Amino acid sequence: MTQTTSPQSHSASEATLSGRTVLISGGSRGIGHSIAVRLARAGANLVLLAKTDTPHPKLEGTVHTAVADVEAAGGQGLAVVGDIRHDEDVETAVTAAVERFGGIDVVINNASAIDLRPTEALDMKRYDLMQDINARGSFALSKAAIPHLRTSASQEGWTPRILTLSPPLNLDPKWFGRHLGYTMSKYAMSMTTLGLAAELGPEGITVNSLWPATLIETAAIANLPGGEKMLAGSRKPQIMADAAYALISGSADFGGELSSPFLTDEQVLAAAGITDLSSYAVTPGTELVPDIFL
């Protein structure tokens, strides 16, 4: 039966992910934070690898306040202060997750850097930052967790997953022409999804990318030129959180194997029977702004 309300109305006492451990990069704020809290409501253990040890002067939230929010939502949380660009920090997070919770069932590559400047205006320091966080960081965290995801796959009735917040691979030249450095870094994340889906699928590990169909209300959008106008046509981060939950919990039914590992939030929620998305709008009635790469 088709639902007309969003999964936000679910009881805080649901425990569909009880005992499952999720390792997420970032998560102090924005979409990652919303996903972590949503999964905690379902009883998951959340291990957050993030740099935000102390408050930022302009942005709310640290890895510690995020863990507090996770635990307030009903899950268990573990903060790992570290940088996804450093291999030793990635290994520390994986080891901490296994020591604290006994394994890893889901990896979420959420951490990402954005700079939409054209090639001539983009300094190489910012280019390297995007490549190191977006491309290399997603590869490194996924790689480090594979042995534990393989162990998780041996459990009957459960499918471990790597979920990366990156777009479908779209080779339309306009996306390269608008912001080449950023496009290269985000598509590298998606290429990681494509490759790992083929590599790990036969072992029972599912790999997907999830991308919003519209702009999402985040600090990253607010800080862009014209950000206030873009926010008015955005949706709340909760839509991505509910889509991630639907994928991980298995409540999204695609009627068989997916032909592509790339999904949008709208596609996932439709597969979960969620058709009315109006509650996610930041400004109800305002025309929604499609996200880039679609």
PDB file of all heavy atoms in Angstrom, residues 214-237:
ATOM      1  N   THR A 214      17.104  17.235  -5.696  1.00  0.00           N
ATOM      2  CA  THR A 214      17.046  18.690  -5.604  1.00  0.00           C
ATOM      3  C   THR A 214      18.182  19.171  -4.711  1.00  0.00           C
ATOM      4  O   THR A 214      18.847  18.378  -4.038  1.00  0.00           O
ATOM      5  CB  THR A 214      15.718  19.159  -5.002  1.00  0.00           C
ATOM      6  OG1 THR A 214      15.690  18.811  -3.607  1.00  0.00           O
ATOM      7  CG2 THR A 214      14.527  18.517  -5.699  1.00  0.00           C
ATOM      8  N   LEU A 215      18.390  20.466  -4.678  1.00  0.00           N
ATOM      9  CA  LEU A 215      19.339  21.009  -3.722  1.00  0.00           C
ATOM     10  C   LEU A 215      18.872  20.696  -2.306  1.00  0.00           C
ATOM     11  O   LEU A 215      17.678  20.596  -2.035  1.00  0.00           O
ATOM     12  CB  LEU A 215      19.465  22.522  -3.892  1.00  0.00           C
ATOM     13  CG  LEU A 215      20.107  23.033  -5.178  1.00  0.00           C
ATOM     14  CD1 LEU A 215      20.188  24.562  -5.153  1.00  0.00           C
ATOM     15  CD2 LEU A 215      21.488  22.426  -5.378  1.00  0.00           C
ATOM     16  N   ILE A 216      19.829  20.552  -1.397  1.00  0.00           N
ATOM     17  CA  ILE A 216      19.540  20.251  -0.002  1.00  0.00           C
ATOM     18  C   ILE A 216      20.010  21.419   0.867  1.00  0.00           C
ATOM     19  O   ILE A 216      21.073  22.004   0.622  1.00  0.00           O
ATOM     20  CB  ILE A 216      20.246  18.957   0.445  1.00  0.00           C
ATOM     21  CG1 ILE A 216      19.773  17.770  -0.394  1.00  0.00           C
ATOM     22  CG2 ILE A 216      20.003  18.683   1.928  1.00  0.00           C
ATOM     23  CD1 ILE A 216      18.309  17.402  -0.227  1.00  0.00           C
ATOM     24  N   GLU A 217      19.234  21.733   1.866  1.00  0.00           N
ATOM     25  CA  GLU A 217      19.543  22.839   2.782  1.00  0.00           C
ATOM     26  C   GLU A 217      20.756  22.472   3.638  1.00  0.00           C
ATOM     27  O   GLU A 217      20.651  21.704   4.588  1.00  0.00           O
ATOM     28  CB  GLU A 217      18.337  23.103   3.686  1.00  0.00           C
ATOM     29  CG  GLU A 217      18.537  24.213   4.697  1.00  0.00           C
ATOM     30  CD  GLU A 217      17.411  24.265   5.708  1.00  0.00           C
ATOM     31  OE1 GLU A 217      16.818  23.208   6.008  1.00  0.00           O
ATOM     32  OE2 GLU A 217      17.120  25.360   6.220  1.00  0.00           O
ATOM     33  N   THR A 218      21.904  23.017   3.289  1.00  0.00           N
ATOM     34  CA  THR A 218      23.132  22.773   4.041  1.00  0.00           C
ATOM     35  C   THR A 218      23.932  24.065   4.121  1.00  0.00           C
ATOM     36  O   THR A 218      23.711  25.008   3.356  1.00  0.00           O
ATOM     37  CB  THR A 218      24.020  21.702   3.372  1.00  0.00           C
ATOM     38  OG1 THR A 218      24.436  22.183   2.092  1.00  0.00           O
ATOM     39  CG2 THR A 218      23.281  20.384   3.219  1.00  0.00           C
ATOM     40  N   ALA A 219      24.908  24.074   5.025  1.00  0.00           N
ATOM     41  CA  ALA A 219      25.788  25.235   5.147  1.00  0.00           C
ATOM     42  C   ALA A 219      26.588  25.435   3.867  1.00  0.00           C
ATOM     43  O   ALA A 219      26.890  26.570   3.480  1.00  0.00           O
ATOM     44  CB  ALA A 219      26.724  25.054   6.339  1.00  0.00           C
ATOM     45  N   ALA A 220      26.940  24.351   3.192  1.00  0.00           N
ATOM     46  CA  ALA A 220      27.706  24.452   1.950  1.00  0.00           C
ATOM     47  C   ALA A 220      26.943  25.244   0.897  1.00  0.00           C
ATOM     48  O   ALA A 220      27.516  26.064   0.171  1.00  0.00           O
ATOM     49  CB  ALA A 220      28.043  23.063   1.424  1.00  0.00           C
ATOM     50  N   ILE A 221      25.624  25.002   0.798  1.00  0.00           N
ATOM     51  CA  ILE A 221      24.802  25.754  -0.143  1.00  0.00           C
ATOM     52  C   ILE A 221      24.647  27.199   0.325  1.00  0.00           C
ATOM     53  O   ILE A 221      24.752  28.145  -0.459  1.00  0.00           O
ATOM     54  CB  ILE A 221      23.410  25.105  -0.303  1.00  0.00           C
ATOM     55  CG1 ILE A 221      23.553  23.710  -0.939  1.00  0.00           C
ATOM     56  CG2 ILE A 221      22.483  25.974  -1.138  1.00  0.00           C
ATOM     57  CD1 ILE A 221      24.107  23.708  -2.335  1.00  0.00           C
ATOM     58  N   ALA A 222      24.412  27.386   1.616  1.00  0.00           N
ATOM     59  CA  ALA A 222      24.207  28.732   2.158  1.00  0.00           C
ATOM     60  C   ALA A 222      25.413  29.627   1.913  1.00  0.00           C
ATOM     61  O   ALA A 222      25.265  30.846   1.723  1.00  0.00           O
ATOM     62  CB  ALA A 222      23.907  28.649   3.648  1.00  0.00           C
ATOM     63  N   ASN A 223      26.601  29.052   1.895  1.00  0.00           N
ATOM     64  CA  ASN A 223      27.822  29.834   1.737  1.00  0.00           C
ATOM     65  C   ASN A 223      28.192  30.111   0.292  1.00  0.00           C
ATOM     66  O   ASN A 223      29.157  30.828   0.025  1.00  0.00           O
ATOM     67  CB  ASN A 223      28.986  29.119   2.437  1.00  0.00           C
ATOM     68  CG  ASN A 223      28.838  29.127   3.955  1.00  0.00           C
ATOM     69  OD1 ASN A 223      28.241  30.028   4.525  1.00  0.00           O
ATOM     70  ND2 ASN A 223      29.367  28.104   4.605  1.00  0.00           N
ATOM     71  N   LEU A 224      27.441  29.551  -0.652  1.00  0.00           N
ATOM     72  CA  LEU A 224      27.707  29.813  -2.061  1.00  0.00           C
ATOM     73  C   LEU A 224      27.098  31.151  -2.478  1.00  0.00           C
ATOM     74  O   LEU A 224      26.137  31.618  -1.864  1.00  0.00           O
ATOM     75  CB  LEU A 224      27.118  28.696  -2.927  1.00  0.00           C
ATOM     76  CG  LEU A 224      27.751  27.309  -2.819  1.00  0.00           C
ATOM     77  CD1 LEU A 224      26.944  26.306  -3.645  1.00  0.00           C
ATOM     78  CD2 LEU A 224      29.199  27.330  -3.291  1.00  0.00           C
ATOM     79  N   PRO A 225      27.635  31.802  -3.524  1.00  0.00           N
ATOM     80  CA  PRO A 225      26.992  33.010  -4.043  1.00  0.00           C
ATOM     81  C   PRO A 225      25.549  32.723  -4.439  1.00  0.00           C
ATOM     82  O   PRO A 225      25.274  31.744  -5.130  1.00  0.00           O
ATOM     83  CB  PRO A 225      27.853  33.356  -5.271  1.00  0.00           C
ATOM     84  CG  PRO A 225      29.186  32.741  -4.988  1.00  0.00           C
ATOM     85  CD  PRO A 225      28.886  31.465  -4.236  1.00  0.00           C
ATOM     86  N   GLY A 226      24.624  33.557  -3.973  1.00  0.00           N
ATOM     87  CA  GLY A 226      23.211  33.321  -4.246  1.00  0.00           C
ATOM     88  C   GLY A 226      22.620  32.214  -3.414  1.00  0.00           C
ATOM     89  O   GLY A 226      21.536  31.699  -3.729  1.00  0.00           O
ATOM     90  N   GLY A 227      23.311  31.863  -2.336  1.00  0.00           N
ATOM     91  CA  GLY A 227      22.888  30.726  -1.518  1.00  0.00           C
ATOM     92  C   GLY A 227      21.515  30.872  -0.904  1.00  0.00           C
ATOM     93  O   GLY A 227      20.762  29.902  -0.806  1.00  0.00           O
ATOM     94  N   GLU A 228      21.160  32.084  -0.500  1.00  0.00           N
ATOM     95  CA  GLU A 228      19.853  32.285   0.154  1.00  0.00           C
ATOM     96  C   GLU A 228      18.705  31.935  -0.789  1.00  0.00           C
ATOM     97  O   GLU A 228      17.737  31.283  -0.394  1.00  0.00           O
ATOM     98  CB  GLU A 228      19.733  33.737   0.612  1.00  0.00           C
ATOM     99  CG  GLU A 228      18.455  34.019   1.403  1.00  0.00           C
ATOM    100  CD  GLU A 228      18.415  35.434   1.955  1.00  0.00           C
ATOM    101  OE1 GLU A 228      19.486  36.068   2.069  1.00  0.00           O
ATOM    102  OE2 GLU A 228      17.301  35.907   2.269  1.00  0.00           O
ATOM    103  N   LYS A 229      18.844  32.343  -2.064  1.00  0.00           N
ATOM    104  CA  LYS A 229      17.809  32.019  -3.046  1.00  0.00           C
ATOM    105  C   LYS A 229      17.767  30.520  -3.301  1.00  0.00           C
ATOM    106  O   LYS A 229      16.688  29.928  -3.431  1.00  0.00           O
ATOM    107  CB  LYS A 229      18.082  32.776  -4.344  1.00  0.00           C
ATOM    108  CG  LYS A 229      17.034  32.531  -5.424  1.00  0.00           C
ATOM    109  CD  LYS A 229      17.334  33.348  -6.664  1.00  0.00           C
ATOM    110  CE  LYS A 229      16.286  33.110  -7.747  1.00  0.00           C
ATOM    111  NZ  LYS A 229      16.574  33.888  -8.986  1.00  0.00           N
ATOM    112  N   MET A 230      18.945  29.881  -3.363  1.00  0.00           N
ATOM    113  CA  MET A 230      18.981  28.445  -3.605  1.00  0.00           C
ATOM    114  C   MET A 230      18.362  27.666  -2.448  1.00  0.00           C
ATOM    115  O   MET A 230      17.689  26.655  -2.655  1.00  0.00           O
ATOM    116  CB  MET A 230      20.412  27.988  -3.853  1.00  0.00           C
ATOM    117  CG  MET A 230      20.984  28.446  -5.184  1.00  0.00           C
ATOM    118  SD  MET A 230      22.570  27.666  -5.590  1.00  0.00           S
ATOM    119  CE  MET A 230      23.650  28.542  -4.471  1.00  0.00           C
ATOM    120  N   LEU A 231      18.574  28.140  -1.220  1.00  0.00           N
ATOM    121  CA  LEU A 231      18.012  27.455  -0.060  1.00  0.00           C
ATOM    122  C   LEU A 231      16.488  27.452  -0.098  1.00  0.00           C
ATOM    123  O   LEU A 231      15.858  26.490   0.342  1.00  0.00           O
ATOM    124  CB  LEU A 231      18.505  28.109   1.232  1.00  0.00           C
ATOM    125  CG  LEU A 231      19.964  27.836   1.616  1.00  0.00           C
ATOM    126  CD1 LEU A 231      20.296  28.551   2.920  1.00  0.00           C
ATOM    127  CD2 LEU A 231      20.226  26.346   1.761  1.00  0.00           C
ATOM    128  N   ALA A 232      15.901  28.534  -0.611  1.00  0.00           N
ATOM    129  CA  ALA A 232      14.436  28.606  -0.676  1.00  0.00           C
ATOM    130  C   ALA A 232      13.857  27.513  -1.562  1.00  0.00           C
ATOM    131  O   ALA A 232      12.743  27.030  -1.335  1.00  0.00           O
ATOM    132  CB  ALA A 232      14.006  29.981  -1.173  1.00  0.00           C
ATOM    133  N   GLY A 233      14.629  27.086  -2.579  1.00  0.00           N
ATOM    134  CA  GLY A 233      14.164  26.034  -3.466  1.00  0.00           C
ATOM    135  C   GLY A 233      14.751  24.674  -3.139  1.00  0.00           C
ATOM    136  O   GLY A 233      14.799  23.794  -4.004  1.00  0.00           O
ATOM    137  N   SER A 234      15.198  24.515  -1.893  1.00  0.00           N
ATOM    138  CA  SER A 234      15.834  23.267  -1.470  1.00  0.00           C
ATOM    139  C   SER A 234      14.899  22.411  -0.627  1.00  0.00           C
ATOM    140  O   SER A 234      13.827  22.858  -0.205  1.00  0.00           O
ATOM    141  CB  SER A 234      17.091  23.577  -0.647  1.00  0.00           C
ATOM    142  OG  SER A 234      18.021  24.319  -1.385  1.00  0.00           O
ATOM    143  N   ARG A 235      15.336  21.190  -0.384  1.00  0.00           N
ATOM    144  CA  ARG A 235      14.663  20.312   0.570  1.00  0.00           C
ATOM    145  C   ARG A 235      15.525  20.162   1.811  1.00  0.00           C
ATOM    146  O   ARG A 235      16.728  20.413   1.794  1.00  0.00           O
ATOM    147  CB  ARG A 235      14.410  18.930  -0.043  1.00  0.00           C
ATOM    148  CG  ARG A 235      13.259  18.904  -1.040  1.00  0.00           C
ATOM    149  CD  ARG A 235      13.121  17.540  -1.669  1.00  0.00           C
ATOM    150  NE  ARG A 235      11.921  17.418  -2.500  1.00  0.00           N
ATOM    151  CZ  ARG A 235      11.836  16.656  -3.573  1.00  0.00           C
ATOM    152  NH1 ARG A 235      12.894  15.932  -3.958  1.00  0.00           N
ATOM    153  NH2 ARG A 235      10.721  16.589  -4.285  1.00  0.00           N
ATOM    154  N   LYS A 236      14.911  19.718   2.885  1.00  0.00           N
ATOM    155  CA  LYS A 236      15.616  19.511   4.143  1.00  0.00           C
ATOM    156  C   LYS A 236      16.507  18.264   4.054  1.00  0.00           C
ATOM    157  O   LYS A 236      16.191  17.313   3.334  1.00  0.00           O
ATOM    158  CB  LYS A 236      14.607  19.345   5.280  1.00  0.00           C
ATOM    159  CG  LYS A 236      13.657  20.525   5.446  1.00  0.00           C
ATOM    160  CD  LYS A 236      12.535  20.201   6.425  1.00  0.00           C
ATOM    161  CE  LYS A 236      11.507  21.315   6.457  1.00  0.00           C
ATOM    162  NZ  LYS A 236      10.339  20.965   7.319  1.00  0.00           N
ATOM    163  N   PRO A 237      17.612  18.244   4.800  1.00  0.00           N
ATOM    164  CA  PRO A 237      18.504  17.074   4.769  1.00  0.00           C
ATOM    165  C   PRO A 237      17.817  15.773   5.158  1.00  0.00           C
ATOM    166  O   PRO A 237      18.299  14.698   4.803  1.00  0.00           O
ATOM    167  CB  PRO A 237      19.590  17.445   5.795  1.00  0.00           C
ATOM    168  CG  PRO A 237      19.557  18.923   5.890  1.00  0.00           C
ATOM    169  CD  PRO A 237      18.128  19.316   5.665  1.00  0.00           C
TER     170      PRO A 237
END
